[in-house]
Amino acid sequence: MSKRTLKVFISVLLVTVMIVSLFAGIQGTFTASASTKKTIEIKFFSNLPDRTSNQGKLEQMLIDSYMKANPNVKIKVEALQDEPYKQKFKVYVATNQMPDIFMVWGQPSFFLPVMKAGYAAEIKPEQIKDYGFKTSSLKDFMYNGKIYGLPRNTDFMVLYYNKGLFSKYNVKVPTTFSELLNAAKVFRKNGIAPIAINGKDKWILAILYQELVVKESGDQRLIYDAISKKSISKNQVLLKAAKDLVELVNVGGFQDAFVAADYGAANNLFAQEKAAMYYMGSWEVGMAANPNFSDSFKKNVDATYFPIISGGKGKKTDILAWHGGGYAVSASSKVKNEAMKLLLYMMHPTRWAKIGWQQGLVVPGQNWEKFMTGKETVLQKKLTQIFSSATSVSGTVWQDAFTPNFKTEAETLCQMLVAKAITPEKFLAKIEELAKLEVK
Amino acid sequence: MYKVLSDKRTILLLVLPGLLIYTFAILFPIILSVYLGMTDWSGIGRPNFVGLENFKKIIFSDTTFWKSLRNAIFLALAYVFVQHPIALTFAILIDKIGGRAEKIFRTIFFIPCVIPVVVTSRMWVSLYDPQYGLINKILDFLHLGFLKQQWLGDTKTALISVIIICMWQGFGWALLIYYAGLKGIPEELYEAAMIDGATGVKLYTKITVPLLQPVIKVNFTIAIIYALKQMETVYLTTNGGPGDASQFLANYLYIRAFNSYQYGYANAISVLFVIACLAVNILFQKIFKPENYEF
């Protein structure tokens, strides 16, 4: 081999090596970028800021297990309390920057405008055929016969009470309204707040008013029909229920300044055993297992039906129940399929319903009785018994059954009623006026 | 250089960034608000033009709007007639005390202004609490138990309770502005007046207050605009309740926009709100006619 041939050979070899390594490099870059591209980020917007107990703990557990099973998926959670959640949600809607998966209240006052405007992605019935959702539970997550969200819980109202305080002051757990009034008087005399309630939030007052209407009438439809027909002010049952509510306020049935108390304040008052009762929904089932609460409280917490009213037609088993909270996927999400997969993963009966129930964190929206182990807390057992014995249920509560403005105004009127800023008669007249404006 | 700066195109070019920012950040949102105020937009979907319907409704049948405006006026009056005389008196006292004490008191009175509103509001909610709140406890201690109230939970006391919080929160600012104004008045004027036989109170009514007039004007204007804009404290303490007893315009607007899905209606309120602020400003310009005090 001449010197020249050797030079040419070495040059060709070097060029070849260079080209090969360059291609290898490019391919490497492609592979690397392809694997980076595979990382999918899902933005999850939740109304459960407490990630260590109750539903928030369950939500986080399922999100973590999904990320573990799918290492290429990163789920970014933003969690706010109910009211800030609603406001931020509307900001997202107005700016058209919906999170990929978000919590929704399955109520016309919240979810209907969202579904109507096409912000939520459709969920096909075949996708959830083995999920054990009853059609009734999906009703408020449907629009024009299509499903846009999945309910996570069965919500119903109960009267939580503290067994220890009732026995200490020798008070009978009330089964009638007059017993409730008497119990309130005894607790007040002893410096204990009778019923803890979050009056600043207003919605609870409207629900309590409906509870009294149902216990007075025994008719779950009465309040909805009266509003639809705009025939409210002369309805004697509605008037009596408003008077009952005022009477409960007059005997000091709630903690002092309950009108200014928010959710946390009312909940703490009960959990710190400074209130004998707590009017709240089944979503507080996790109180009995909450590590933040004292053992004494957890031992004493129990639940019962809201009392019946002597002379009223309602039974104790006529309860207010609905499927409120749930999840939906954004129709405009760039990772819609992945977000949908996550939703279906979380809501699979063996996860949200089974794990949630067995850990005492929620009362699921799907059938939970098949997951009972016998190791449930007293509260879980009592709530199951209350719900399974229900002879009638309300569905979406009255203030949520119409327009968003109806909800805001009706709730404010309820607050005015309990603050005695208006009389029961004026309250009904104002609701009628509101119905005429808002209900078509 | 003069040639460049006198060139109209150059002037336009230099002014343009500021003009653009003003147009898009201030003018455009106001115009958009006026337009949206004439729609029934819920914040979702498409707006529907309804003309002056929202404005008519607000002016002729929205009692909460008028109550909110009335409450804002109460707060403004409380600022002007209660907070400011006290702030001015304290500013004079601090100015007079001098030395290290002057700095200490100045700092103490300014502390509420540097603490976030969320913190001070929560603190006041605790102070007002009828069960464990300090206010009722003090009343008990002073054997004035009959004065105990459900401060934030009663329609009769909610508004005044909120007004007290607002006055406490803004006290430091009012005091600081008066204090700065006092520092600008030359000592010789007082000395000359004293030589002429002026006594203590007269010194302040004849020299301090007239010379502080521009400062008073600025302070009053800020206070009144602040009263009209009041939102955070109300939202964090009563959210306008019970009912609408302690409702204020900005909070009411917020509720309409974000709770009732009445974005169009809320915009109409905001337009009237801007008009109210402008009217107050013009009124103030008229009340405090410019007078030049030379010293």
Side-chain angles (χ1 to χ4, degrees), chain A residues 90-311:
Chain A
K90 279 157 207 166
V91 173
Y92 280 135
V93 169
T95 53
N96 209 5
Q97 291 178 324
M98 298 297 286
D100 303 306
I101 175 166
F102 48 86
M103 184 268 166
V104 287
W105 283 273
Q107 306 153 347
S109 65
F110 184 89
F111 199 31
L112 190 59
V114 178
M115 290 190 284
K116 263 187 181 173
Y119 287 99
E122 192 192 340
I123 300 163
K124 301 274 183 211
E126 55 270 23
Q127 288 179 290
I128 50 163
K129 68 177 190 311
D130 301 323
Y131 277 55
F133 287 110
K134 293 173 197 136
T135 319
S136 65
S137 71
L138 295 170
K139 198 173 82 139
D140 290 327
F141 295 85
M142 289 170 79
Y143 173 64
N144 267 349
K146 291 177 181 170
I147 307 163
Y148 292 98
L150 298 178
R152 59 185 182 196
N153 296 328
T154 299
D155 296 332
F156 52 97
M157 300 306 293
V158 292
L159 190 66
Y160 292 100
Y161 66 97
N162 187 312
K163 279 185 287 198
L165 290 174
F166 271 82
S167 74
K168 185 178 173 188
Y169 296 105
N170 202 17
V171 184
K172 183 178 172 276
V173 177
T175 52
T176 66
F177 191 64
S178 45
E179 282 174 7
L180 180 68
L181 298 177
N182 287 331
K185 286 175 198 163
V186 176
F187 285 119
R188 198 147 263 285
K189 221 190 290 169
N190 290 288
I192 301 283
I195 307 172
I197 202 164
N198 46 319
K200 188 187 171 196
D201 297 331
K202 300 177 189 173
W203 53 264
I204 190 81
L205 301 169
I207 291 178
L208 179 56
Y209 173 65
Q210 182 173 358
E211 183 92 66
L212 290 164
V213 171
V214 171
K215 292 294 185 287
E216 281 286 358
S217 66
D219 179 2
Q220 294 276 12
R221 292 299 315 160
L222 181 109
I223 193 163
Y224 304 94
D225 291 343
I227 292 165
S228 299
K229 290 176 190 155
K230 288 110 185 165
S231 150
I232 298 152
S233 60
K234 291 193 177 71
N235 190 312
Q236 291 307 307
V237 178
L238 293 179
L239 182 66
K240 177 73 179 19
K243 286 182 175 169
D244 292 338
L245 187 53
V246 175
E247 195 181 357
L248 194 52
V249 176
N250 285 343
V251 298
F254 306 108
Q255 80 270 32
D256 289 341
F258 68 96
V259 173
D262 59 17
Y263 198 102
N267 190 275
N268 280 338
L269 196 69
F270 183 61
Q272 288 167 11
E273 304 193 70
K274 287 176 182 159
M277 293 169 271
Y278 180 38
Y279 183 66
M280 193 39 71
S282 53
W283 53 87
E284 280 295 349
V285 66
M287 281 193 299
N290 192 330
N292 302 323
F293 295 158
S294 70
D295 289 339
S296 154
F297 169 74
K298 282 189 270 192
K299 199 180 75 202
N300 282 321
V301 65
D302 204 340
T304 184
Y305 300 94
F306 190 83
I308 54 160
I309 298 172
S310 321

